[in-house]
Amino acid sequence: YTKWLSLFGIACTALKIPQLARYAYTNFLRPQKNLVQRYGKKTWALVTGASSGAGFEFSRQLAKQGFNIVMISSNAEKLYKAKIKILEELAEEVEIMTIVFDLATVDDYVKIAPILTKIA
């Protein structure tokens, strides 16, 4: 009985190895995409939730690569501090536009469109 159980465990493990290999390649081994080559330096990138967390880190990394950033958040004070922190960290010149806005409904997106067409 234990022999069959061991064989079953080995078979199940063997079936998971390709999934594990794909996960490792996708998340750790695959070369990073060159966004500057694809879109060009000084291209504008819009980041929502940019005052903290993942949104802030996206803004920071894109600015480091030379992208101009439109940072959108609902908290004016945190957004200003995030902008200053990114600008202090960078050696090269990038433009950062901040917009204090709560994008809770579809109507909010319509209101913000005229602001964004200025940089398009």
Side-chain angles (χ1 to χ4, degrees):
Y1 175 75
T2 57
K3 181 180 178 181
W4 290 108
L5 200 53
S6 296
L7 289 173
F8 179 72
I10 291 169
C12 288
T13 302
L15 291 173
K16 290 292 184 183
I17 289 174
Q19 290 177 337
L20 180 61
R22 187 173 28 258
Y23 177 81
Y25 175 75
T26 302
N27 293 296
F28 305 111
L29 303 173
R30 180 175 49 188
Q32 186 179 8
K33 293 181 181 177
N34 188 338
L35 297 176
V36 173
Q37 184 179 12
R38 186 172 185 175
Y39 299 108
K41 273 194 170 203
K42 301 295 182 184
T43 301
W44 286 91
L46 183 139
V47 181
T48 59
S51 62
S52 63
F56 171 74
E57 190 58 29
F58 273 115
S59 299
R60 194 173 146 271
Q61 293 298 324
L62 288 167
K64 275 183 164 181
Q65 292 180 42
F67 287 91
N68 293 325
I69 310 293
V70 178
M71 298 174 73
I72 299 178
S73 181
S74 59
N75 186 317
E77 184 179 338
K78 286 173 71 176
L79 188 59
Y80 176 75
K81 288 179 181 178
K83 175 184 176 178
I84 297 303
K85 187 172 182 176
I86 291 171
L87 289 173
E88 287 175 347
E89 188 177 305
L90 296 176
E92 66 179 280
E93 293 285 324
V94 296
E95 289 183 60
I96 297 180
M97 177 189 297
T98 57
I99 301 173
V100 179
F101 211 75
D102 188 8
L103 299 171
T105 67
V106 174
D107 293 335
D108 293 333
Y109 286 91
V110 173
K111 292 175 190 172
I112 202 169
I115 298 168
L116 298 177
T117 55
K118 294 177 185 176
I119 62 168

